[in-house]
Amino acid sequence: MTTIIDHSAFWKKPISIDLDTGERLVLRSPQDALYALISDWPVNGGVHQQRAIDFCRAWLAGRMPAETVRQAFILAALEAGVAIDENDGNGGANSSSDRPV
């Protein structure tokens, strides 16, 4: 088994997602993504959602690069119709309504 050495805890570029509740989450790492996919996801059972969860867990085990997990998360968001913002990954971090994960 090949282990991927990837010690970066954070993505190069965060992702902001808007939930159905109107809340915005700023995701900065695969660990943030895993929490969102399990706790806050509006649709359960999607193929891309499960794949992204598996990728997050593989990252935690040191078997998946963080940026690969990021791409899987984006596909899961598209599948679920979750609004994402890759260009303003800080999600307006100065806003009090934003909740970093």
Side-chain angles (χ1 to χ4, degrees), residues 42-92:
V43 179
N44 287 317
V47 172
H48 289 291
Q49 178 195 19
Q50 186 57 54
R51 184 172 184 242
I53 289 170
D54 292 344
F55 278 27
C56 289
R57 289 179 176 154
W59 174 82
L60 286 169
R63 297 188 318 258
M64 183 73 58
E67 292 301 317
T68 301
V69 177
R70 186 179 187 279
Q71 293 305 312
F73 179 83
I74 290 169
L75 288 175
L78 292 172
E79 173 185 63
V82 173
I84 61 172
D85 186 350
E86 292 184 84
N87 297 318
D88 182 21
N90 68 10

Side-chain angles (χ1 to χ4, degrees), residues 32-41 44 48-49 52-53 56 73 76:
D32 290 349
L34 181 59
Y35 179 82
L37 288 161
I38 292 173
S39 300
D40 296 315
W41 218 240
N44 287 317
H48 289 291
Q49 178 195 19
I53 289 170
C56 289
F73 179 83

